[in-house]
Amino acid sequence: MLVQKLGIAVVDLGQDTAGDATALNARKSKPAAARQEADLPAPSGGRKEYADDTGKVSKVVEWFGYKLHLLVDVKHEVALAYEITSTKAGDGETLPAVLRQAQANLPANRIRTLAYDKAGDTNDVHKLLDGAKIKPLIQMRALWKEQAEQMLPGHDGRSNVV
């Protein structure tokens, strides 16, 4: 409710947004009844590997608990929406639900841009953002490593669009 009130009072709140996920540590001894009241999944082990430019794993982070997915306003540093999931949930898979929550918390058509790491570089996310008229600022995945260029659909080689 606070974000909804702020969205009315601060006219540019939520125009430029960014999202990401982070680890939330938990203890194994928390009773299941308390998790159900909070509507949380069972905590589980999480593992994140970071690779360098050559693809070699350079850092590994492991934790037990949950994942916290956030969508924030980049100018005012205010959280607009969040979701807590199992450690197994992908960041790009959760982004649509967090984005819908942020849109519901803000006046209609307020979000103009969304920055995200390469976990958001999927066809589903791009289609969702395009439908909502939100400009993506998403790091591209390193695709087509063996193929430096590819003609776009509808081009026959007479243009220089690849």
Side-chain angles (χ1 to χ4, degrees):
M1 289 179 53
L2 182 58
V3 173
Q4 292 172 347
K5 290 178 182 181
L6 277 172
I8 294 168
V10 181
V11 295
D12 64 344
L13 181 74
Q15 286 183 347
D16 299 309
T17 63
D20 204 357
T22 189
L24 276 181
N25 292 311
R27 292 195 168 107
K28 294 181 182 184
S29 62
K30 189 170 184 175
R35 281 196 319 271
Q36 289 174 342
E37 285 179 23
D39 197 28
L40 293 175
S44 61
R47 178 180 171 95
K48 175 83 176 175
E49 294 182 350
Y50 296 90
D52 60 18
D53 293 337
T54 64
K56 182 182 175 194
V57 175
S58 59
K59 180 180 173 183
V60 176
V61 177
E62 294 182 315
W63 75 99
F64 181 83
Y66 305 95
K67 262 184 156 177
L68 171 65
H69 305 266
L70 281 174
L71 192 66
V72 300
D73 176 282
V74 297
K75 178 180 177 185
H76 300 289
E77 299 179 358
V78 173
L80 304 172
Y82 73 95
E83 186 164 335
I84 298 172
T85 66
S86 156
T87 59
K88 308 302 181 212
D91 299 357
E93 298 167 15
T94 310
L95 179 58
V98 178
L99 178 61
R100 280 192 297 275
Q101 186 185 123
Q103 289 172 315
N105 288 338
L106 295 168
N109 303 316
R110 175 68 64 91
I111 300 174
R112 294 185 317 193
T113 64
L114 179 108
Y116 213 84
D117 61 16
K118 54 187 152 185
D121 189 24
T122 67
N123 288 338
D124 291 342
V125 168
H126 284 287
K127 187 184 288 187
L128 175 71
L129 296 177
D130 185 55
K133 296 183 178 29
I134 297 172
K135 294 176 186 170
L137 304 169
I138 297 175
Q139 181 182 2
M140 292 178 63
R141 293 178 187 264
L143 301 177
W144 310 300
K145 291 181 180 180
E146 298 83 29
Q147 183 181 3
E149 294 181 350
Q150 177 181 349
M151 294 299 299
L152 292 173
H155 292 270
D156 60 5
R158 290 182 283 179
S159 68
N160 61 356
V161 180
V162 292

